[in-house]
């Protein structure tokens, strides 16, 4: 036993080191081509759309700490209380979006994509109608449906409800390549859709804007990265 221990023990640390290097290289390769689109300091590059207390023009008149959308500790925070969107101000064709979100109890939000800018008073151009909205809800453990977490809201239920409990971080990836849409939530592929195969989706645009929904609830975002294809 003593001889065997002497032969094995020097190898174990080397295997640990090699494994760590391999994981680091795999992680680096997985993030290749992704660029942050939220700087963790302010809302540069983003546009606030929708209603605010006091009317649609109230946002520029409010102090940043009082705004519905603001930055805290490097996170993008929506404190809720209205209906609208925070839109990334670049129109996109094919892309992969990655982000993390943490929602509050009873939260209702979403990530819009391939949609037009939202116009005050015109809900027909909300992402869930004019483009797509991936629904975010505090519905961990509930049956998936066309309005549950991970759904293409109004149209398609996810393969499963993969959302985590309120207060926990969720990892989201949305990939759009031509008419193909793939969504991965917390490591699980929950949508893999060819919109040409679905009558309700065939006329949906193949380009548009990314947005985060303000639907009267508190939600935080971080590590928002984009890879254009």
């Amino acid at each position: 036993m003593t001889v065997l221990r002497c032969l094995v023990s020097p190898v174990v640390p080397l295997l640990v080191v090699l494994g760590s290097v391999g994981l680091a290289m795999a992680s680096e390769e997985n993030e290749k081509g992704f660029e942050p689109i939220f700087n963790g300091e302010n809302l540069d590059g983003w546009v606030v759309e929708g209603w605010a207390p006091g009317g649609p023009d109230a946002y520029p008149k409010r102090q940043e700490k009082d705004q519905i959308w603001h930055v805290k500790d490097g996170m993008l925070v929506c404190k809720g209380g209205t209906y609208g969107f925070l839109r990334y101000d670049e129109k996109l064709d094919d892309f992969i979006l990655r982000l993390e979100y943490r929602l509050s109890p009873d939260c209702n939000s979403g990530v819009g994509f391939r949609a037009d800018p939202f116009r005050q008073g015109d809900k027909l151009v909300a992402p869930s109608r004019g483009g797509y909205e991936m629904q975010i809800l505090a519905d961990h453990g509930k049956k998936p449906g066309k309005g549950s977490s991970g759904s293409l809201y109004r149209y398609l239920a996810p393969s499963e409800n993969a959302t985590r409990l309120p207060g926990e971080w969720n990892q989201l990836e949305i990939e759009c390549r031509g008419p193909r849409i793939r969504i991965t939530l917390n490591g699980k592929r929950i949508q893999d859709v060819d919109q040409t195969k679905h009558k309700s989706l065939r006329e949906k645009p193949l380009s548009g804007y990314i947005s985060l929904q303000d639907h009267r609830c508190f939600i935080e975002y971080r590590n928002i990265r984009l890879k254009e294809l």
Side-chain angles (χ1 to χ4, degrees):
M1 292 297 293
T2 304
V3 174
L4 180 61
R5 188 181 302 113
C6 291
L7 290 173
V8 172
S9 58
V11 176
V12 173
L14 178 60
L15 291 176
V16 171
V17 170
L18 290 175
S20 299
V21 171
L23 288 173
M25 292 176 65
S27 178
E28 184 177 340
E29 182 65 25
N30 188 44
E31 287 291 319
K32 189 175 181 180
F34 283 87
E35 297 291 339
I37 57 174
F38 166 59
N39 62 22
E41 298 178 357
N42 53 49
L43 301 183
D44 287 357
W46 296 80
V47 180
V48 177
E49 300 174 321
W51 289 273
D57 298 324
Y59 280 104
K61 301 173 184 177
R62 300 168 68 89
Q63 297 296 316
E64 184 169 319
K65 66 182 178 63
D66 296 323
Q67 287 182 332
I68 290 172
W69 290 100
H70 62 280
V71 180
K72 181 179 180 181
D73 299 329
M75 296 180 294
L76 178 59
V77 180
C78 177
K79 74 175 185 179
T82 184
Y83 178 85
F85 300 87
L86 183 68
R87 175 171 57 83
Y88 178 55
D89 197 20
E90 181 181 336
K91 193 172 185 178
L92 302 168
D93 296 317
D94 293 354
F95 65 89
I96 304 175
L97 172 70
R98 289 177 179 171
L99 59 80
E100 296 177 81
Y101 67 86
R102 181 168 63 182
L103 55 127
S104 57
D106 301 319
C107 187
N108 180 344
S109 188
V111 178
F113 56 98
R114 286 189 163 175
D116 289 332
F118 180 76
R119 293 191 297 271
Q120 173 77 9
D122 188 356
K123 290 189 177 182
L124 292 179
V125 295
S128 63
R129 295 181 184 272
Y132 291 97
E133 178 195 330
M134 195 220 76
Q135 176 76 305
I136 292 174
L137 280 179
D139 62 352
H140 171 80
K142 295 185 179 180
K143 184 179 178 179
K146 293 182 180 179
S148 69
S149 287
S151 66
L152 292 177
Y153 184 64
R154 300 180 188 277
Y155 304 104
L156 294 178
S159 59
E160 63 179 293
N161 187 337
T163 194
R164 292 174 177 160
L165 289 167
E168 298 180 11
W169 285 102
N170 295 265
Q171 288 78 44
L172 173 65
E173 177 180 289
I174 298 175
E175 177 181 345
C176 293
R177 295 178 185 262
R180 198 67 175 265
I181 298 170
R182 295 184 176 95
I183 298 178
T184 303
L185 181 61
N186 296 321
K188 298 180 179 180
R189 178 67 55 82
I190 59 171
Q191 296 280 4
D192 193 343
V193 179
D194 181 344
Q195 71 180 56
T196 65
K197 307 296 184 183
H198 297 269
K199 185 178 180 180
S200 61
L201 304 179
R202 286 174 189 163
E203 303 303 318
K204 292 284 189 181
L206 298 180
S207 64
Y209 292 91
I210 290 168
S211 61
L212 308 175
Q213 187 183 46
D214 167 20
H215 204 165
R216 306 177 181 89
C217 75
F218 183 90
I219 186 168
E220 300 163 301
Y221 296 90
R222 68 183 184 186
N223 297 331
I224 308 174
R225 298 101 69 207
L226 179 71
K227 180 177 182 179
E228 296 190 55
L229 304 174

